[in-house]
Amino acid sequence: MIVRLVAFALLMSATSFLRAQEALTDSLPSQADGGSTSARPQTAWLDLRQHPASSSKPQSAPSWVEAVGLIPAQATSDGDGIAKSKSVFRIRVAQPGADYNVIFFRLFFDDKPDARPELTAWDESGTQVVRSGPLGSGINLPSSDSVMIPMMGISTIDIEVPGDGKNVRGAYLDWMTSSEVVHPLSAEHRDVIPEPFSAVPPLHAPEQDTEQFGTVTATLAADSIRIGPDVQEGAVFQFGIESQPLLALLTFEVDNARIDSPPEIYLNGQDIGPVSLALPELADPAYRGEMESLVKEMHFQYTGWLRAQKIVPLTSLKVGNNDLFILNGPGGSASAIRATQVQLKYLWDKSDYLLRPGH
């Protein structure tokens, strides 16, 4: 198949606390988790939006979240002497028990290319233990990203953000446990650790075309591509096939999708309809509601990456080059797609099929 694509030092100065629903205070009210080390610790949702005090509401947190604060933007300079500013959200945590040594940290933010956040974990002595590197991919859309942090000796997690930090919206924290897991050898390249609310692992795009049991998988684009609802905002691909397949499947991930109006697919000039989205549980904080004037119904965007799939009608495919076009559904705003790939299923010498007599 031919595929083408047309240390900074620990800040110990006085901390200025926000009033994002009063989430950022030095003495958060604790949720009733009993304080027992044997009980399963509750998850934490921290609202980090910088609301004015007049619109703030009280917010509680589990007892293992000791404090959340904001160190306002302070001027720094890089190695070239260029002045920059950085805000730091500081979260103090305590291990709820000896069995909990790793924390799952999911950050929700507007993924601006010049304001990508980083997570830094510190121990009590002020020594940096873990640094995540920039989160997101700079797609300039509402998104989220996850990091697993080993918490042995760690007492503080910082969210460092260039600028005023107003692109950070919230954080979801959940303690992880370990158990012996078995999996097929052929699944080694996949992520086998489930994320909260979703059973679908992240999608990986193979660098080279692969073939297994008569099925060819080819990557159209591994990187993120922005799309919109207008024709000029779509993503364009071209791929070639040598012979007509028995079945074809298009798969990609989409960020900031409007869940009731998913991306539309056009193949060789024909509208073959919208993709199907693999939606996580509705409790997932990545769902973000949007209201429009004179419209009673709230619409929802998913501010994270979702698996999208579309069975391609064989009548729309042709031997040779095929032109594929992806754009957002009606009413959707800007989104991004990544890991775009196509699978083509051919007759295999051990294919399982039935021959039914005609009527």
Side-chain angles (χ1 to χ4, degrees):
M1 169 177 292
I2 300 173
V3 179
R4 294 180 293 174
L5 172 63
V6 179
F8 82 102
L10 182 63
L11 300 174
M12 301 304 295
S13 57
T15 301
S16 172
F17 293 100
L18 291 176
R19 295 288 175 177
Q21 296 190 3
E22 292 189 3
L24 308 188
T25 63
D26 204 15
S27 56
L28 286 173
S30 296
Q31 298 170 354
D33 57 11
S36 172
T37 58
S38 61
R40 186 176 72 177
Q42 292 184 334
T43 60
W45 166 253
L46 305 177
D47 187 348
L48 303 179
R49 295 173 295 175
Q50 301 181 40
H51 290 305
S54 60
S55 62
S56 301
K57 296 180 181 179
Q59 181 178 235
S60 61
S63 59
W64 54 266
V65 180
E66 297 180 339
V68 184
L70 171 67
I71 301 174
Q74 298 184 3
T76 60
S77 60
D78 58 16
D80 298 327
I82 301 176
K84 295 184 177 181
S85 63
K86 176 172 58 179
S87 301
V88 179
F89 296 88
R90 176 153 296 164
I91 304 172
R92 292 205 304 268
V93 297
Q95 284 184 253
D99 295 334
Y100 305 103
N101 299 314
V102 178
I103 201 167
F104 177 88
F105 195 112
R106 185 178 180 188
L107 187 66
F108 297 82
F109 57 98
D110 294 334
D111 190 7
K112 299 181 179 180
D114 58 349
R116 295 172 60 187
E118 296 187 58
L119 299 184
T120 307
W122 310 84
D123 63 17
E124 287 288 357
S125 67
T127 301
Q128 178 179 302
V129 180
V130 176
R131 192 175 186 88
S132 68
L135 302 182
S137 54
I139 55 178
N140 207 26
L141 292 171
S143 190
S144 56
D145 208 347
S146 303
V147 176
M148 287 180 288
I149 304 174
M151 295 297 292
M152 297 298 293
I154 290 176
S155 60
T156 302
I157 301 174
D158 283 352
I159 307 168
E160 303 176 13
V161 195
D164 58 14
K166 291 184 178 180
N167 61 314
V168 173
R169 305 198 314 274
Y172 172 87
L173 286 73
D174 194 359
W175 289 95
M176 304 189 71
T177 59
S178 61
S179 61
E180 186 174 350
V181 177
V182 296
H183 62 85
L185 290 176
S186 61
E188 285 184 344
H189 65 285
R190 302 177 184 175
D191 293 330
V192 296
I193 300 176
E195 292 195 5
F197 310 112
S198 177
V200 180
L203 183 64
H204 295 287
E207 295 182 1
Q208 303 292 332
D209 294 359
T210 62
E211 190 274 334
Q212 185 179 30
F213 302 148
T215 298
V216 177
T217 301
T219 297
L220 303 182
D223 297 333
S224 300
I225 303 172
R226 283 176 63 93
I227 62 172
D230 299 327
V231 173
Q232 63 271 23
E233 298 174 316
V236 181
F237 307 91
Q238 186 179 85
F239 64 95
I241 60 176
E242 298 177 354
S243 60
Q244 194 75 0
L246 301 174
L247 191 63
L249 176 67
L250 176 69
T251 307
F252 56 85
E253 288 185 328
V254 55
D255 176 77
N256 198 43
R258 178 167 158 171
I259 63 173
D260 62 345
S261 186
E264 298 269 352
I265 308 299
Y266 293 81
L267 183 64
N268 295 324
Q270 297 181 357
D271 183 358
I272 63 174
V275 299
S276 297
L277 299 175
L279 295 175
E281 300 173 22
L282 296 184
D284 193 326
Y287 288 100
R288 189 182 197 183
E290 292 185 354
M291 290 292 294
E292 300 177 7
S293 58
L294 305 179
V295 177
K296 295 182 179 180
E297 183 179 0
M298 180 178 288
H299 298 286
F300 283 88
Q301 309 280 133
Y302 187 83
T303 57
W305 293 96
L306 292 175
R307 180 77 62 89
Q309 291 186 306
K310 180 65 180 179
I311 292 291
V312 179
L314 297 182
T315 54
S316 301
L317 277 175
K318 61 183 181 181
V319 175
N321 289 332
N322 291 266
D323 296 316
L324 178 69
F325 186 62
I326 305 175
L327 76 164
N328 263 346
S333 56
S335 298
I337 61 174
R338 71 180 182 187
T340 308
Q341 54 195 267
V342 63
Q343 288 188 332
L344 304 174
K345 189 174 186 64
Y346 292 94
L347 190 63
W348 176 47
D349 60 356
K350 295 180 177 59
S351 292
D352 187 8
Y353 62 91
L354 300 174
L355 292 176
R356 295 187 181 275
H359 296 288

